[in-house]
Amino acid sequence: MGVSAELLPEFDREMGSTRRTLERIPEDKLTWKPHEKSMVLGRLAGHIAELVGMGARVVKEDSLDFANRPAGEFARKPTVAESQKHVLELFDKYVAETRAAIANASDEHWTKNWKLSAGERTFYDGTRMGAMRTMMMNHIIHHRAQLGVYLRLNGVAVPSVYGPSADEGR
């Protein structure tokens, strides 16, 4: 089994759990945040959706430099969810694009280098597989967990992800 074939079931599971979490964002709380240093709920949901699109870039391009993007380029303006529908449409679009890119990548392609930077500041410089896992998948999982806390603090049932949550699957 090739690298892409092994990665796709994990990608599908994580994106399914992420979608179930995004489906629960309360539209009347999109400007809510738990702390002054925290993102508002709508920005957090938007960030999760836009992160999925990074996966396609990891496969299709050799790098992403946030300091040197043409106008209108990927996430030039941070995505803020305007509604559940808005964030889910964006999420679904990026899931389809990234899934297709993963499915079409060869084993050799996964070993090639990929770099994420903002000018002289490097955030990641390593294999495409490392970038996919660290900068996309793990990053989404991290923020999905944050969103779960936002949901809990707003009295919204948190979906089961890796096993039963306090709200589901008992």
Side-chain angles (χ1 to χ4, degrees):
M1 182 181 289
V3 173
S4 293
E6 285 200 28
L7 180 60
L8 282 172
E10 178 183 0
F11 176 80
D12 291 341
R13 276 189 310 274
E14 295 300 342
M15 294 309 105
S17 295
T18 302
R19 191 178 203 292
R20 284 192 306 279
T21 304
L22 288 171
E23 287 171 350
R24 296 181 184 210
I25 63 169
E27 291 188 336
D28 63 335
K29 299 287 186 180
L30 295 177
T31 59
W32 181 87
K33 60 183 179 177
H35 188 274
E36 64 186 41
K37 293 181 181 180
S38 300
M39 283 187 259
V40 296
L41 191 147
R43 172 63 187 125
L44 180 58
H47 185 51
I48 292 167
E50 70 193 4
L51 278 171
V52 182
M54 179 181 268
R57 293 197 71 147
V58 167
V59 176
K60 295 177 180 180
E61 300 175 14
D62 293 329
S63 64
L64 173 57
D65 183 349
F66 287 118
N68 296 308
R69 291 177 291 167
E73 187 69 15
F74 172 76
R76 187 134 181 100
K77 182 180 176 193
T79 302
V80 178
E82 298 166 8
S83 65
Q84 281 181 357
K85 181 179 187 244
H86 169 244
V87 78
L88 290 170
E89 285 175 354
L90 184 63
F91 178 80
D92 290 344
K93 172 186 165 200
Y94 286 144
V95 166
E97 289 175 8
T98 297
R99 191 178 199 294
I102 291 169
N104 291 317
S106 69
D107 287 0
E108 178 187 353
H109 192 67
W110 287 112
T111 66
K112 293 179 182 174
N113 197 69
W114 193 81
K115 183 177 180 179
L116 176 65
S117 61
E120 297 298 317
R121 185 173 179 199
T122 299
F123 301 106
Y124 178 85
D125 191 359
T127 66
R128 288 179 197 276
M129 178 52 72
M132 183 66 72
R133 289 207 180 271
T134 303
M135 304 312 297
M136 198 272 291
M137 296 276 281
N138 295 352
H139 199 161
I140 290 168
I141 293 165
H142 162 75
H143 286 304
R144 182 181 69 210
Q146 278 185 304
L147 185 56
V149 172
Y150 280 42
L151 295 177
R152 170 78 68 232
L153 292 173
N154 280 283
V156 177
V158 177
S160 298
V161 175
Y162 300 117
S165 73
D167 302 306
E168 295 182 350
R170 295 186 137 215

